[in-house]
Amino acid sequence: MAMTMQLKLFFGRLRRRSEREEEEMMTEPPTISSCEHSTTSCERSVATTSSTCSTVLSSSSILQRIDSSDAIKSEGTTSDCPSCWLCLEEGSDTSGKPLIRNCSCRGTSGYAHISCIVHYAEHKGRQGYGSSNHNFNNVCRYFKFCPNCNQEYQNDVQCDLSKAMVSFVERKLHDGTPRASYLRIVALVDRLFVLSAGSNNAGTSEGQVICSKLMFLMDGMDSVMKARTYYALGCFYSSSGSLKKSKAYLETARNLLQDADDDSDSSVRDIADIEIKLNCSNASSGDVDSLQSRYEETLAKSGRETTLTI
């Protein structure tokens, strides 16, 4: 009997212990869940760290781009320097001559080396001379006009290019044809006009040589070209102080233009300008009112308000 009671008590304690262990196992979180929770926390931590690093890197990249942009802007002063629009080089050419610009181009555009302009004009001149339509204007145009703004070159650039045009025509276009002779006359006349407008006597000897060449070539000219040649001769001798010669050549030019009955704008303008020069040469120093009246009459004939144009 006593043995039976002891066995019952033993098995009762054993069952209660087992139940208590089961309850404890039910109340404690499983080990696997704890590991998963730990892994999730780690992943969140890594994601936060990665996001922070990405933000820092992104900010750094922006700062680098801003710094680079500022560097480009600060260095832009060198790229904003003018360069030759033909060879794209900055500064002087191989012979030491600087960039020039005497036209209507503005900003950093239009600058070029005189040697580059001459090379370009000669190239275009050869193309124009060899074309089927024989457009003489295209042969000489690029020696006289900027191809970017279409403004006629001025001052020293005009002087240098008019001389280069004579050299080009005489060196390269001497095939003995009438058009070659015509182009030579055009180049010489243009050069003489440029020399006449000069403010010094440096081109006097060159102008006299050109006058001799033109007089030799006079026989093969038509009346309009003869008139323009005489006009150029008159302007040159007027600028060099030979007023008597100047008046004679200007009168001959005017008469030829009037007889030619050429109504083109250039001929009308030339007649008006010749009249102005002749009226000025005929006026005495005390005849200011008469000179002013003649001047205004001549301008009215030409349809202009002033002889000074831009």
Side-chain angles (χ1 to χ4, degrees):
M1 184 71 177
M3 179 64 70
T4 302
M5 289 297 295
Q6 287 178 353
L7 289 172
K8 286 182 178 179
L9 289 174
F10 174 74
F11 284 113
R13 286 196 297 270
L14 184 62
R15 185 174 61 252
R16 286 194 296 272
R17 180 183 296 177
S18 175
E19 290 176 354
R20 189 166 54 251
E21 288 178 353
E22 288 179 0
E23 290 178 357
E24 288 178 355
M25 290 178 65
M26 291 294 294
T27 57
E28 290 180 1
T31 304
I32 296 175
S33 298
S34 177
C35 290
E36 289 176 352
H37 177 71
S38 177
T39 302
T40 303
S41 299
C42 289
E43 288 176 350
R44 288 176 181 174
S45 176
V46 171
T48 302
T49 304
S50 176
S51 176
T52 303
C53 291
S54 176
T55 302
V56 172
L57 288 174
S58 177
S59 300
S60 177
S61 299
I62 293 171
L63 289 174
Q64 287 178 356
R65 286 198 295 270
I66 292 174
D67 291 341
S68 299
S69 176
D70 291 340
I72 292 172
K73 288 180 181 178
S74 64
E75 294 174 359
T77 53
T78 57
S79 62
D80 289 340
C81 291
S83 60
C84 176
W85 68 270
L86 288 163
C87 72
L88 306 181
E89 294 292 334
E90 298 178 0
S92 303
D93 61 9
T94 54
S95 64
K97 292 185 178 180
L99 290 167
I100 49 89
R101 181 182 67 182
N102 258 307
C103 56
S104 291
C105 291
R106 294 294 179 264
T108 57
S109 65
Y111 284 97
H113 301 114
I114 191 69
S115 57
C116 292
I117 298 177
V118 170
H119 181 75
Y120 176 76
E122 288 185 352
H123 173 69
K124 288 293 187 179
R126 282 190 292 267
Q127 285 184 337
Y129 189 72
S131 63
S132 58
N133 59 0
H134 304 316
N135 191 337
F136 297 134
N137 291 329
N138 288 339
V139 177
C140 300
R141 174 176 178 78
Y142 296 95
F143 287 97
K144 301 176 66 175
F145 295 91
C146 171
N148 298 311
C149 66
N150 293 318
Q151 167 71 33
E152 190 171 4
Y153 290 114
Q154 304 293 322
N155 305 321
D156 292 343
V157 176
Q158 182 187 48
C159 186
D160 291 343
L161 290 178
S162 66
K163 187 174 183 178
M165 181 169 65
V166 172
S167 175
F168 166 69
V169 171
E170 292 186 334
R171 285 184 299 106
K172 301 295 184 180
L173 310 181
H174 51 77
D175 54 11
T177 60
R179 58 176 179 156
S181 298
Y182 178 87
L183 285 170
R184 187 185 181 198
I185 294 168
V186 169
L188 290 171
V189 167
D190 185 79
R191 177 61 176 166
L192 199 59
F193 274 123
V194 172
L195 292 175
S196 301
S199 58
N200 53 53
N201 297 323
T204 301
S205 59
E206 181 188 353
Q208 290 173 346
V209 172
I210 292 176
C211 288
S212 299
K213 290 180 178 180
L214 288 172
M215 293 301 293
F216 177 77
L217 296 169
M218 193 75 72
D219 291 339
M221 302 180 191
D222 59 34
S223 58
V224 175
M225 181 53 72
K226 277 186 179 180
R228 185 157 179 79
T229 301
Y230 278 120
Y231 182 21
L233 292 169
C235 291
F236 172 74
Y237 282 113
S238 175
S239 65
S240 60
S242 302
L243 299 182
K244 189 174 181 179
K245 273 188 175 183
S246 172
K247 181 181 176 182
Y249 286 134
L250 290 174
E251 287 176 344
T252 303
R254 178 194 59 192
N255 296 336
L256 284 170
L257 285 172
Q258 290 174 343
D259 293 341
D261 196 22
D262 185 2
D263 295 332
S264 65
D265 292 339
S266 60
S267 294
V268 172
R269 184 174 60 249
D270 286 347
I271 292 174
D273 289 340
I274 291 170
E275 291 285 2
I276 292 172
K277 290 181 181 296
L278 287 172
N279 289 337
C280 290
S281 63
N282 290 334
S284 62
S285 58
D287 198 12
V288 177
D289 293 337
S290 176
L291 177 61
Q292 180 66 28
S293 177
R294 292 178 183 178
Y295 176 74
E296 292 174 355
E297 288 176 3
T298 306
L299 289 179
K301 289 179 182 179
S302 65
R304 292 182 292 166
E305 296 180 356
T306 177
T307 56
L308 299 177
T309 58
I310 298 176

